[in-house]
Amino acid sequence: MLRRTVDCALRLRAAETAAVCLQTQMPRTLRTSAQHGLPRISMHEYQQLRRKQQEFEAGAHGRFGTYQRIVPSTLVKRKAEAREPSLELVPSGIERPAYASTGTAEPVQSHSQIPVLTGEEIERMRVACVIARDALALGGSMVRPGVTTAAIDREVHGFIVSRGAYPSCLNYLGFPRSICTSVNNIIAHGIPDDACVLADGDCINIDVTVYKHGFHGDTSAMFVAGSIDAPGRRLLDTTQEALELAIQACGPQVPFSTIGTTIESLVAPLGFSVSQELTGHGVGRDFHQRPLIYHHANDLPGAMEPGMAFTIEPIVSQGVAAGVLWPDGWTVATADGARSAQYEHTVVVTADGIDVLTA
């Protein structure tokens, strides 16, 4: 997934500010607020915000349903440094993408035009996509109350390397884990953590990308820990339907903009919003390449041609589509605390339609 512009510099207000204040145990004097990168607020305002957060914690936020709201554990900006995976983590016999050792994202091929894959290349890519699909299913089978997102990451990592493949997220631009796990109000790029324990009613997006035979395969889906409330189920069902309709709309000579128009025409009348900050993308020899796939109504030029491979991965929110970047430099949360959902497939255009490689 590509981030366009997703940094609100921690200027969290309203209930978001209260959540962060409480999570970091900000002193009641608030004299240290500047040290945490927060705007200075009065004691009266803090007390008001504290009450708002308590309402969230008590589940009294009926606008979006009942769920635990995920907040950062610290306000200290600390993005993980790039670190080459050890041979113990990824055995030497497994082919690694170039960035695995550097933590950069240098393209393998030119991005001046959209790559068109041969039949042989598509079949090699299909292998990576099938491993990603199966790894995602394994991660989803673990989702239940009491399980940590880090535990899911470890199991999925083990599965991927057991298939002789590399988990594409690992050390991509320094990302410290093998998959992304985004819970409730986390839009995308959540970092698996032993401190993140799933609770009953949580919805989680597990995002898995696999590198095998020189190609990446990318997929994600939503899973529920225990049972979810009606507003949450409606969000998940709508997002999955949006992906399915977008895929059905694809084919040779179809404008790329059709994807966004199809998705927004479904979700907007239902009161949902679509992220404009995070997009789908071409995928193949490079993790991220052309084309960009916008999931909102747009006038992006260009049309699909046989052999073009890309992801479709709409992010749909109960509230506003804007995101806030956490201090870890990766996690993106909804600005208003609403839940978001995402489903994703890697597809390739064929002569007569579309082939879903991660299905």
Side-chain angles (χ1 to χ4, degrees):
M1 179 184 304
L2 297 182
R3 183 187 299 112
R4 291 168 64 198
T5 305
V6 203
D7 193 349
C8 294
L10 288 181
R11 295 292 174 177
L12 309 179
R13 302 301 293 171
E16 185 69 18
T17 303
V20 177
C21 290
L22 292 171
Q23 187 71 19
T24 57
Q25 297 180 336
M26 179 174 287
R28 292 184 64 82
T29 62
L30 302 178
R31 285 195 294 265
T32 61
S33 61
Q35 298 174 7
H36 296 279
L38 287 169
R40 292 186 180 276
I41 57 177
S42 68
M43 178 56 67
H44 175 69
E45 184 178 10
Y46 173 64
Q47 290 171 339
Q48 286 184 317
L49 298 177
R50 183 184 179 89
R51 283 194 295 272
K52 287 180 180 291
Q53 175 61 11
Q54 288 172 337
E55 289 176 357
F56 272 95
E57 292 173 341
H61 53 296
R63 179 185 175 196
F64 298 130
T66 302
Y67 56 97
Q68 68 164 334
R69 195 149 167 267
I70 311 302
V71 296
S73 60
T74 178
L75 291 182
V76 178
K77 290 186 177 181
R78 187 188 299 119
K79 188 171 184 177
E81 296 182 0
R83 180 178 300 178
E84 183 176 7
S86 67
L87 293 179
E88 181 180 3
L89 195 62
V90 181
S92 59
I94 294 176
E95 180 185 5
R96 303 181 178 203
Y99 61 77
S101 60
T102 64
T104 62
E106 292 298 321
V108 174
Q109 55 192 7
S110 171
H111 284 189
S112 60
Q113 58 185 1
I114 300 173
V116 175
L117 302 178
T118 66
E120 179 185 355
E121 289 174 324
I122 291 172
E123 292 311 308
R124 290 167 61 187
M125 185 170 170
R126 191 187 305 275
V127 175
C129 288
V130 169
I131 297 173
R133 177 201 67 192
D134 293 345
L136 176 63
L138 171 64
S141 71
M142 295 181 63
V143 173
R144 59 184 179 274
V147 172
T148 69
T149 54
I152 297 173
D153 175 75
R154 286 189 288 269
E155 287 295 320
V156 172
H157 173 92
F159 174 85
I160 293 171
V161 298
S162 75
R163 297 303 188 271
Y166 183 90
S168 301
C169 289
L170 187 59
N171 208 35
Y172 181 78
L173 295 175
F175 191 80
R177 298 288 184 267
S178 295
I179 63 174
C180 296
T181 51
S182 303
V183 181
N184 293 343
N185 57 297
I186 304 304
I187 293 176
H189 304 158
I191 300 174
D193 190 341
D194 281 312
C196 185
V197 182
L198 297 178
D200 184 61
D202 281 347
C203 58
I204 175 176
N205 174 269
I206 300 177
D207 194 338
V208 180
T209 309
V210 165
Y211 182 75
K212 177 79 172 178
H213 297 324
F215 288 87
H216 298 271
D218 192 358
T219 186
S220 81
M222 301 298 297
F223 302 92
V224 175
S227 58
I228 195 170
D229 61 3
R233 174 50 58 190
R234 181 168 174 264
L235 171 67
L236 269 57
D237 290 347
T238 300
T239 307
Q240 187 168 25
E241 183 180 2
L243 172 61
E244 293 170 354
L245 291 176
I247 291 173
Q248 293 171 17
C250 293
Q253 304 309 312
V254 173
F256 287 113
S257 60
T258 300
I259 293 173
T261 301
T262 300
I263 292 170
E264 188 153 349
S265 65
L266 169 69
V267 306
L270 298 177
F272 297 121
S273 61
V274 183
S275 174
Q276 299 185 21
E277 299 169 332
L278 298 162
T279 73
H281 54 87
V283 62
R285 293 187 182 276
D286 286 312
F287 193 167
H288 297 104
Q289 58 190 38
R290 295 186 63 195
L292 285 178
I293 303 298
Y294 293 169
H295 302 111
H296 60 282
N298 66 89
D299 56 0
L300 184 73
M304 305 172 197
E305 296 179 13
M308 291 182 175
F310 49 87
T311 68
I312 304 177
E313 45 184 305
I315 297 174
V316 178
S317 175
Q318 293 176 304
V320 298
V324 176
L325 183 66
W326 276 14
D328 61 25
W330 282 104
T331 307
V332 183
T334 57
D336 58 2
R339 284 174 291 191
S340 71
Q342 180 184 33
Y343 288 86
E344 173 186 12
H345 275 307
T346 292
V347 304
V348 63
V349 183
T350 65
D352 56 0
I354 201 81
D355 187 355
V356 184
L357 299 180
T358 47

